[in-house]
Amino acid sequence: MMIILYFLGALILAVLVAYFILPKALYDLMTAMLRLRGGIRQKSVRVGDNVWPFLEGGRGDGVPVVLLHGFGGDKDNWSIYAPHITKYHRLIAPDLPGFGENNRSLDRDYDISSQVHRLNAFLDAMNITKCHIGGNSMGGFIALQFAMEYPDKVSSLTLFNNAGVMGEDKSELAVAAEKGENSLALSNVADVDRLMAFVSYKPVPMPKNFKKIFFAEAEAHREVLDKIFWQIAGAGINHPLNDRLGEVMAPSLIIWGRHDRLIDVSCVAVLDEGIRDSEAVIFEETGHIPMIEKPKETAAVHRAFLAKH
């Protein structure tokens, strides 16, 4: 018993030392553990002049499930979700250009059309001729337009609180954007709490040293993030895809959080009515990131949909 207590004490001490002295190393370790739990590991593929990092895991046979993260996120936005998918499907989650470990140069455009064509090049480099594609927020905008422009490559489409359409009611983010304000920009470390509360219905408290890491990452790429935000926001407000939804040929699943403050839940009705072969699920007490807020429940709906297609 004493040996066990000494071991636990040493383990707790090691975690505390790592948190206060090497918080980035502890953060990376936790990320690695999430990936391990999800059965995914990091890989990369050359796409033209760039290298795309991505996470992959799960069954190697069958049509793969390709999931795209939202604005300000990266491939690990799907790490918590992965364990519920990789037991049944091959999962691929890339860092999109402008985010994570992908190319983040200011000397290129990150409009949705450009990202759609880059995604197509990524799939070609991966030798993927058909996939179940899905995305959250900005990633959903890209997935939606991809399904319109490359219908032969899409077995099904899953939209998690996607951008790119306008509902009957404006969200807080849309109202602020029309005033020239970026609600997703961070001003300081303390501002991380505001952002977490903005995207999640019940945000999980983040340790202060982890907030510093989160803010430092955003601050290091402030210019490119600001550029991408306004390219996406401008397209979503001035050129939404509402009138093009009939072009979607793939069976589609629409997943939303009732309390999304970034993209209003009224968009669900627009999508469900506009896409001919669609079904919709709205989760209560859920915000903008249902795959993180309610991964088990969201994945159950997603898997049932995939099983039919």
Side-chain angles (χ1 to χ4, degrees):
M1 176 64 76
M2 288 301 296
I3 293 176
I4 294 175
L5 290 176
Y6 281 131
F7 175 77
L8 290 175
L11 181 61
I12 293 171
L13 180 61
V15 171
L16 288 173
V17 169
Y19 173 72
F20 287 107
I21 299 177
L22 298 168
K24 183 63 166 63
L26 181 59
Y27 185 88
D28 290 342
L29 176 61
M30 293 175 65
T31 298
M33 291 175 66
L34 278 176
R35 292 179 182 179
L36 182 64
R37 178 174 175 266
I40 51 177
R41 61 192 182 95
Q42 181 163 332
K43 301 180 181 180
S44 63
V45 63
R46 179 163 290 280
V47 183
D49 296 332
N50 297 312
V51 174
W52 280 49
F54 62 94
L55 298 176
E56 182 177 19
R59 296 174 52 184
D61 57 336
V63 178
V65 176
V66 177
L67 297 177
L68 310 176
H69 63 79
F71 175 83
D74 59 29
K75 56 190 176 298
D76 277 297
N77 281 183
W78 302 101
S79 293
I80 293 176
Y81 194 65
H84 309 289
I85 299 296
T86 52
K87 292 179 182 178
Y88 311 91
H89 302 276
R90 176 188 175 198
L91 172 63
I92 297 170
D95 275 337
L96 293 166
F99 302 93
E101 298 172 90
N102 207 318
N103 187 313
R104 305 185 75 156
S105 172
L106 264 172
D107 301 327
R108 50 161 45 185
D109 284 324
Y110 296 94
D111 59 276
I112 297 301
S113 292
S114 296
Q115 297 288 62
V116 164
H117 298 312
R118 289 177 185 135
L119 175 62
N120 183 57
F122 167 74
L123 295 177
D124 285 345
M126 292 284 290
N127 295 314
I128 295 174
T129 57
K130 200 90 170 179
C131 67
H132 297 286
I133 197 163
N136 170 242
S137 194
M138 174 198 72
F141 195 165
I142 294 169
L144 176 59
Q145 190 159 321
F146 183 89
M148 295 173 180
E149 298 189 20
Y150 297 97
D152 293 340
K153 290 191 172 184
V154 179
S155 292
S156 74
L157 170 66
T158 302
L159 302 169
F160 303 78
N161 295 57
N162 65 285
V165 295
M166 294 294 287
E168 182 178 351
D169 301 317
K170 292 182 180 179
S171 68
E172 293 179 43
L173 180 74
V175 171
E178 289 176 352
K179 298 177 182 177
E181 301 169 3
N182 179 357
S183 300
L184 302 182
L186 294 173
S187 301
N188 49 56
V189 173
D191 207 21
V192 173
D193 286 332
R194 176 197 60 80
L195 181 61
M196 293 298 101
F198 192 45
V199 300
S200 304
Y201 180 72
K202 292 181 179 179
V204 177
M206 184 184 295
K208 185 175 181 178
N209 281 354
F210 287 177
K211 292 179 194 176
K212 292 179 180 178
I213 295 171
F214 191 93
F215 174 72
E217 172 73 9
E219 185 66 15
H221 302 283
R222 177 182 293 275
E223 286 187 82
V224 71
L225 286 172
D226 194 57
K227 177 178 181 176
I228 297 171
F229 176 83
W230 288 114
Q231 286 188 326
I232 297 168
I237 293 171
N238 300 315
H239 306 287
L241 297 176
N242 294 46
D243 294 336
R244 294 187 58 191
L245 295 176
E247 298 176 31
V248 178
M249 298 291 104
S252 302
L253 172 64
I254 304 152
I255 295 176
W256 222 272
R258 173 77 67 187
H259 299 90
D260 190 346
R261 298 166 62 189
L262 279 74
I263 307 175
D264 193 76
V265 69
S266 60
C267 292
V268 173
V270 172
L271 289 161
D272 200 22
E273 182 178 345
I275 300 174
R276 61 173 58 86
D277 184 8
S278 65
E279 53 187 274
V281 176
I282 299 174
F283 287 105
E284 302 296 332
E285 298 185 349
T286 307
H288 187 61
I289 44 176
M291 75 284 186
I292 294 175
E293 296 177 77
K294 293 187 176 179
K296 184 176 181 179
E297 297 89 340
T298 303
V301 171
H302 193 187
R303 288 198 314 269
F305 170 75
L306 292 172
K308 294 187 290 187
H309 304 288

